[in-house]
Amino acid sequence: FSISFVNSPVVKTPFPIKSLCWNSSSSLFAFCEDDLVFIRDSNTFYLVDTISTERISSLMFSKEGDIKNDVLLTLSDEGTFCVWDLYSDKNEKKSFTDKEPIISIECDDDSNITCASFSKNSDYIAISDDKFNINLYFKLRYTRQTIKKSIQAHSKEIYGLEFCSNNSYLVSSSFDNKGKVWDLKTNSLFSEFKFYSKSKVPIIFTDDSNYLIATTSKRTFSVFDLNGEKIQTIKTLKNIEKIKILPST
């Protein structure tokens, strides 16, 4: 076999990068530093556009509307959730439709945010606070309003939240050693199971939304079904620091 080296463009930033994400086609990536969000072309590194906003703690690309426009979802350190619309002109050049978000939601209720997650279709935002609650926000697409549901979820800090790919369930990971699956149609607990939380590795869904993967010791992880039943356990040679499912080829 042979090894080849490719010179890639390098983008230097004056401030540390706090969050980084790609859109679904991997044609764009966004990152935030201090009070600015930058969007660049993934192939050329060309600067597509920027927005100035409050300090961002997390961001994610999603799709909106019938024609599936790219939108950028951001959550600030102060608890403000925003949706920013990206417009393509006749030459397919991307830019923000407006320098103001099309939707802005104040999610912070005088509590400190410990974790946040966006559903894959951007309809839901899940935010956990230092009172061990999960605040679920359902975004109404046409009125630009939201419906909020608060859930007393755990007895200790929540450090992981993830939506499944079909947006039917949310899983929460907590230092109380319980993983809990929440039914988003009823906003109620669907199942729960014990796992190992000391590694601070969040529980994740498989791509088909039918199973969950969680650490069960420093060097083991297990596959659970949605009912919380353990299906299989796998041992590793080193301590587990992160779990990620690679896309199938």
Side-chain angles (χ1 to χ4, degrees):
F1 65 94
S2 62
I3 299 175
S4 59
F5 296 91
V6 178
N7 291 324
S8 299
V10 175
V11 178
K12 293 184 177 180
T13 63
F15 300 99
I17 295 174
K18 295 183 63 177
S19 187
L20 175 71
C21 66
W22 276 261
N23 66 346
S24 59
S25 64
S26 298
S27 61
L28 299 172
F29 69 95
F31 62 93
C32 58
E33 54 176 71
D34 202 38
D35 292 336
L36 287 172
V37 176
F38 300 83
I39 295 184
R40 290 184 178 269
D41 185 284
S42 297
N43 295 318
T44 64
F45 277 46
Y46 171 79
L47 181 61
V48 175
D49 208 346
T50 63
I51 50 173
S52 178
T53 183
E54 301 174 22
R55 295 181 183 273
I56 300 298
S57 59
S58 59
L59 72 168
M60 187 188 86
F61 277 103
S62 186
K63 296 287 188 180
E64 288 276 287
D66 297 332
I67 58 175
K68 302 299 182 184
N69 285 332
D70 276 312
V71 294
L72 185 68
L73 315 175
T74 63
L75 181 69
S76 74
D77 292 337
E78 290 74 24
T80 302
F81 171 78
C82 294
V83 180
W84 308 82
D85 190 27
L86 274 169
Y87 168 76
S88 297
D89 63 17
K90 61 181 180 181
N91 296 319
E92 296 298 316
K93 182 180 178 181
K94 294 275 190 178
S95 63
F96 285 109
T97 304
D98 199 339
K99 294 298 183 179
E100 296 294 327
I102 58 174
I103 295 175
S104 180
I105 306 165
E106 296 295 332
C107 301
D108 191 8
D109 296 328
D110 298 324
S111 301
N112 293 320
I113 294 173
T114 61
C115 189
S117 182
F118 311 119
S119 66
K120 303 300 185 290
N121 62 358
S122 81
D123 281 348
Y124 287 97
I125 312 109
I127 295 173
S128 60
D129 59 33
D130 56 1
K131 298 175 182 176
F132 319 137
N133 297 317
I134 296 175
N135 296 310
L136 275 173
Y137 296 85
F138 177 70
K139 180 162 59 66
L140 302 174
R141 291 179 178 271
Y142 299 105
T143 63
R144 298 188 178 183
Q145 296 177 334
T146 58
I147 299 173
K148 178 184 175 181
K149 172 70 174 180
S150 293
I151 303 169
Q152 180 65 45
H154 289 272
S155 59
K156 291 186 178 180
E157 180 184 332
I158 300 165
Y159 67 87
L161 294 168
E162 180 171 317
F163 291 92
C164 65
S165 60
N166 64 15
N167 306 303
S168 297
Y169 300 100
L170 171 77
V171 65
S172 56
S173 309
S174 168
F175 287 120
D176 63 8
N177 294 322
K178 291 182 180 179
K180 294 189 176 184
V181 181
W182 305 92
D183 187 331
L184 296 180
K185 291 182 180 179
T186 61
N187 294 324
S188 61
L189 181 65
F190 183 79
S191 65
E192 66 177 81
F193 55 92
K194 291 184 178 181
F195 79 111
Y196 182 78
S197 65
K198 288 185 179 180
S199 299
K200 203 177 178 180
V201 177
I203 303 166
I204 64 170
F205 283 98
T206 55
D207 289 341
D208 59 9
S209 302
N210 292 327
Y211 301 95
L212 302 114
I213 302 176
T215 52
T216 43
S217 75
K218 288 183 179 180
R219 298 187 178 184
T220 62
F221 65 91
S222 298
V223 179
F224 296 84
D225 64 18
L226 291 179
N227 294 315
E229 296 294 327
K230 190 182 296 184
I231 305 298
Q232 184 179 4
T233 298
I234 299 172
K235 294 183 179 180
T236 65
L237 298 177
K238 295 183 178 181
N239 292 349
I240 300 170
E241 297 180 355
K242 187 174 183 179
I243 298 175
K244 184 175 179 60
I245 299 176
L246 298 178
S248 57
T249 56

